Amino acid sequence: MKKEELFNLFGIEDLNDLPGAVMNLIEGDIDVRNKVYEELIQKNNGDMSFDWFQAIYESELSERKQKKQDFTPNSLGILCSELTGQAGSIHEPTAGNGSMIIADWWQRCSKKIPWEHFPSQNMVTCWELSARSIPILLLNLSIRGIMGYVYHGDVLTKEVKQKYILLNRQDDTLAFSEIIKDTENNLTIKKEIHYDDSRNIR
């Protein structure tokens, strides 16, 4: 995906405006969001195996010289997934834009046919402190149908600024996840999600 295509899709002229544009999208009308998701997939030739935003962010925003910043290479994410196994839930304490989670997700689901990989059996819990990364992280996870919890906060102090729930109601790897902004009134949602033997949520 070229930078110009990304800018046109989100109606921005500066990469610094992308997080805000993404957050407006995912908090807005879900049908509009899903249409943009479909366009994103198309512009990236249907390749869901890596973080599409990484190359653009690295070239434009990373402070390699000043702060030695860099993004996790996709190959490292794949290696970590192979070393840690590919079953059950995962915890990512410093998720960034989600490149490590995407690499692990791809290693898991690409080894099965879509209807044998269930998001509910591969739940993700992740933390990220950066407000600029949270919107991209939420997009990257929800567009891949990933289920779990995203904490915008400090994993060391456990201070949470905002909690998000990723819910894939069809439990279908090919479906998009809803993003639910958690409040005190819906903290019980985790207990309210049940699965029957046919893999349907009720």
Side-chain angles (χ1 to χ4, degrees):
M1 177 173 55
K2 297 178 181 178
K3 183 176 71 173
E4 293 75 18
E5 293 177 317
L6 181 65
F7 283 16
N8 288 336
L9 187 58
F10 284 95
I12 59 174
E13 296 181 356
D14 190 311
L15 191 59
N16 287 297
D17 297 327
L18 181 62
V22 171
M23 188 58 83
N24 288 337
L25 175 71
I26 63 180
E27 290 184 336
D29 184 87
I30 195 164
D31 291 329
V32 174
R33 184 206 74 166
N34 289 350
K35 184 177 180 180
V36 173
Y37 277 14
E38 289 167 1
E39 288 187 53
L40 271 172
I41 293 170
Q42 184 178 22
K43 289 183 184 300
N44 289 282
N45 301 313
D47 188 350
M48 310 286 282
S49 66
F50 67 100
D51 174 15
W52 306 317
F53 303 95
Q54 181 169 328
I56 297 172
Y57 263 78
E58 281 184 339
S59 62
E60 297 284 330
L61 297 180
S62 67
E63 298 179 282
R64 286 176 170 174
K65 292 183 178 179
Q66 298 92 339
K67 299 180 180 178
K68 308 301 181 186
Q69 289 182 350
D70 212 334
F71 290 75
T72 306
N74 191 52
S75 56
L76 180 57
I78 293 171
L79 175 61
C80 289
S81 176
E82 294 287 354
L83 290 174
T84 57
Q86 297 163 27
S89 61
I90 64 169
H91 176 72
E92 168 59 277
T94 54
N97 286 358
S99 61
M100 291 276 284
I101 298 172
I102 293 170
D104 180 76
W105 169 83
W106 182 252
Q107 289 300 301
R108 293 179 184 217
C109 69
S110 64
K111 289 178 170 57
K112 297 183 178 181
I113 51 179
W115 49 90
E116 290 184 350
H117 177 272
F118 301 109
S120 64
Q121 295 178 359
N122 297 272
M123 299 278 285
V124 168
T125 300
C126 59
W127 288 71
E128 177 52 43
L129 184 58
S130 169
R132 292 184 54 77
S133 292
I134 285 292
I136 311 299
L137 174 62
L138 291 170
L139 185 155
N140 273 335
L141 301 186
S142 62
I143 201 171
R144 290 168 173 83
I146 292 172
M147 288 184 67
Y149 305 91
V150 174
Y151 294 91
H152 178 197
D154 190 328
V155 70
L156 297 178
T157 65
K158 301 302 181 185
E159 178 185 357
V160 178
K161 298 178 181 180
Q162 183 61 57
K163 177 184 176 184
Y164 299 90
I165 299 167
L166 298 171
L167 178 60
N168 186 327
R169 292 187 186 275
Q170 290 126 337
D171 201 15
D172 181 355
T173 300
L174 301 179
F176 302 140
S177 299
E178 294 176 45
I179 300 170
I180 302 167
K181 197 172 185 179
D182 204 357
T183 66
E184 291 183 359
N185 294 325
N186 64 9
L187 286 174
T188 58
I189 192 168
K190 181 178 179 182
K191 298 178 182 178
E192 296 171 356
I193 301 173
H194 304 285
Y195 297 88
D196 60 28
D197 292 336
S198 62
R199 305 308 306 167
N200 293 320
I201 299 176
R202 66 178 191 269

